[in-house]
């Protein structure tokens, strides 16, 4: 499990507990198999381990054919691969004491990266705050970086204590 | 064979043989030739019929074995105006020629309202687009042949060989429009993933599904197919 580096943020929570079951709650879910899209809408809450994501809407782009799975044509394993996930309309991600907020969050399965964009994207950890335009977190390496535009941060001295719990669980 | 001799012929045997009404030998000969004429006509017909029978009977017998009657009436009983059919079976092909067959414990039809058929213990099996199949089982249901509307109730189970399974309390199926709606909680499972919602409306022959009300989806990334090789480990599919 790579130790997350770069600005600590809630998104790395997804890197640490990646094998945990995922639960998505929402008011409605619409699966449009022709467009290969599924749209969770209405107070969407996604939880995985101790990380939660809240957004008004979550779009799931998938390949293959859910209907094929239903139609029974594809073998169960490869029937519907999720290609991309997009949370829009104001996204809040929380892991323990860290939160990350932004306008949209896009997760690319292929590159296994999470990109959060916002005006600005705000990361907080305890009293510390970092703001920027685009935050990219590589979930395989756990590295996250701010890109595109000025990054402003406010770090309160000795507020970042190396608390063991923050270390990714082995 | 004893011959009946009319009395006046006793004393004049020589003339009797020439009398117009015919002496016994002549009548015997006439009967004989009548019989011969009869046989001449009947025999060929009999042979013809025999030959025809010899061909058609085996043909029909093995033909019926191959052609399974699309519907099997089972036992039929009429009580008052209600016609009950035990173990009806119906099979056929949809318009995009996928085979389906539906069987039920019993089918009840009110003669006064012939369009509506009540069914119990329904099992329907539908061949799906690509060699897959789906089965629908339901305890009770009704079929409206006019509007082609099927309602299933008291617990509906759905399963496909693709690994999907579904449980619903009831379902209203509009065969023509290809839509299924239910206003009661639905549970869909796929591998170890589970999707629950209060209402479901499937339209467009199954290519659009709209779940509504407390939608909850549980799954594990490991159950999802691995994405392409560059990603070494399964990643959390959710991100901010």
């Amino acid at each position: 499990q790579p130790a997350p580096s770069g600005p600590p943020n809630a998104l790395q929570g997804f890197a640490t507990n990646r094998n945990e079951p995922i639960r998505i709650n929402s008011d409605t879910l619409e699966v449009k198999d022709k467009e290969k899209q599924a749209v969770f809408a209405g107070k969407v809450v996604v939880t995985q381990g101790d990380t939660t994501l809240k957004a008004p809407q979550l779009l799931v782009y998938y390949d293959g054919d859910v209907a094929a799975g239903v139609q029974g044509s594809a073998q169960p394993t490869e029937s519907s691969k999720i290609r991309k996930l997009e949370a829009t309309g104001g996204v809040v991600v929380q892991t323990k004491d860290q939160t990350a907020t932004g306008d949209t969050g896009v997760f690319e399965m292929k590159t296994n990266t999470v990109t959060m964009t916002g005006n600005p994207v705000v990361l907080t950890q305890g009293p510390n705050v970092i703001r920027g335009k685009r935050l990219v977190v590589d979930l395989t390496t756990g590295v996250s970086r701010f890109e595109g535009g000025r990054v402003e941060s406010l770090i309160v001295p000795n507020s970042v204590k190396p608390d063991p719990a923050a270390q990714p669980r082995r | 064979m004893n011959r009946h001799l009319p009395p006046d012929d006793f004393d004049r045997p020589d003339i009797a043989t020439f009398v117009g009404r015919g002496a016994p030998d002549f009548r015997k000969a006439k009967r004989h030739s009548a019989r011969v004429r009869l046989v001449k006509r009947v025999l060929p017909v009999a042979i013809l019929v025999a030959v025809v029978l010899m061909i058609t009977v085996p043909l029909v017998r093995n033909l019926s074995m191959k052609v399974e009657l699309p519907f099997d009436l089972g036992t039929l009983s009429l009580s008052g105006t209600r016609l009950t059919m035990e173990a009806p079976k119906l099979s056929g092909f949809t318009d995009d020629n996928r085979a389906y067959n539906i069987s039920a414990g019993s089918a009840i039809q009110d003669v006064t309202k012939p369009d509506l058929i009540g069914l119990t213990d329904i099992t329907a099996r539908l061949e799906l687009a690509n060699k897959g199949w789906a089965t629908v089982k339901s305890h009770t249901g009704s079929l409206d042949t006019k509007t082609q509307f099927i309602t299933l109730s008291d617990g509906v189970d759905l399963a496909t060989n693709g690994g999907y399974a579904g449980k619903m309390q009831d379902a209203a199926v509009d065969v023509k429009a290809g839509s299924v709606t239910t206003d009661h909680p639905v549970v869909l499972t796929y591998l170890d993933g589970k999707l629950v919602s209060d209402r479901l409306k499937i339209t467009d022959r199954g290519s659009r599904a709209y779940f509504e009300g407390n939608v909850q989806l549980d799954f594990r990334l490991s159950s999802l197919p691995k994405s392409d090789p560059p990603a070494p480990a399964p990643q959390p599919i959710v991100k901010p």
Side-chain angles (χ1 to χ4, degrees), chain A residues 5-59:
Chain A
S5 60
N9 59 63
L11 287 94
Q12 285 155 342
F14 289 126
T16 49
N17 42 36
R18 80 175 44 148
N19 293 329
E20 305 260 347
I22 297 160
R23 164 166 292 184
I24 304 179
N25 289 80
S26 73
D27 285 350
T28 65
L29 161 65
E30 183 168 12
V31 181
K32 289 176 272 195
D33 197 56
K34 286 214 174 65
E35 297 94 357
K36 297 281 180 266
Q37 256 182 24
V39 182
F40 288 90
K43 300 195 291 299
V44 182
V45 178
V46 182
T47 41
Q48 182 183 31
D50 54 10
T51 307
T52 64
L53 172 144
K54 293 194 180 71
Q57 193 184 5
L58 174 70
L59 265 102

Side-chain angles (χ1 to χ4, degrees), chain B residues 18-158:
Chain B
F18 305 103
V19 163
R21 223 172 18 72
D25 308 345
F26 174 74
R27 254 184 280 107
K28 200 160 58 112
K30 212 161 68 118
R31 243 186 282 118
H32 174 69
S33 57
R35 220 176 287 124
V36 164
R37 262 198 311 285
L38 180 70
V39 163
K40 216 168 35 190
R41 246 184 278 108
V42 162
L43 201 56
V45 169
I47 292 169
L48 193 68
V49 165
V51 164
V52 163
L53 274 181
M54 268 191 298
I55 296 169
T56 53
V57 165
L59 192 68
V60 165
R61 196 171 300 124
N62 66 43
L63 192 67
S64 64
M65 263 191 306
K66 265 201 299 300
V67 170
E68 211 212 66
L69 276 180
F71 53 85
D72 169 358
L73 284 188
T75 57
L76 210 59
S77 60
L78 183 68
S79 62
T81 62
R82 289 162 62 78
L83 188 67
T84 320
M85 198 191 305
E86 293 307 324
K89 283 199 199 52
L90 177 71
S91 53
F93 288 87
T94 57
D95 36 23
D96 46 5
N97 65 45
R98 286 180 287 162
Y100 66 84
N101 67 59
I102 304 166
S103 63
S106 70
I108 300 136
Q109 185 180 29
D110 196 326
V111 183
T112 53
K113 299 193 289 304
D115 292 338
L116 207 57
I117 301 171
L119 298 161
T120 57
D121 296 335
I122 301 149
T123 1
R125 187 184 159 93
L126 173 69
E127 189 196 331
L128 297 174
N130 10 37
K131 306 285 174 312
W133 48 264
T135 58
V136 179
K137 287 193 174 57
S138 141
H139 290 301
T140 56
S142 75
L143 168 69
D144 185 329
T145 47
K146 203 154 27 86
T147 61
Q148 290 224 311
F149 218 78
I150 302 174
T151 55
L152 302 171
S153 36
D154 295 347
V156 180
D157 288 319
L158 186 74

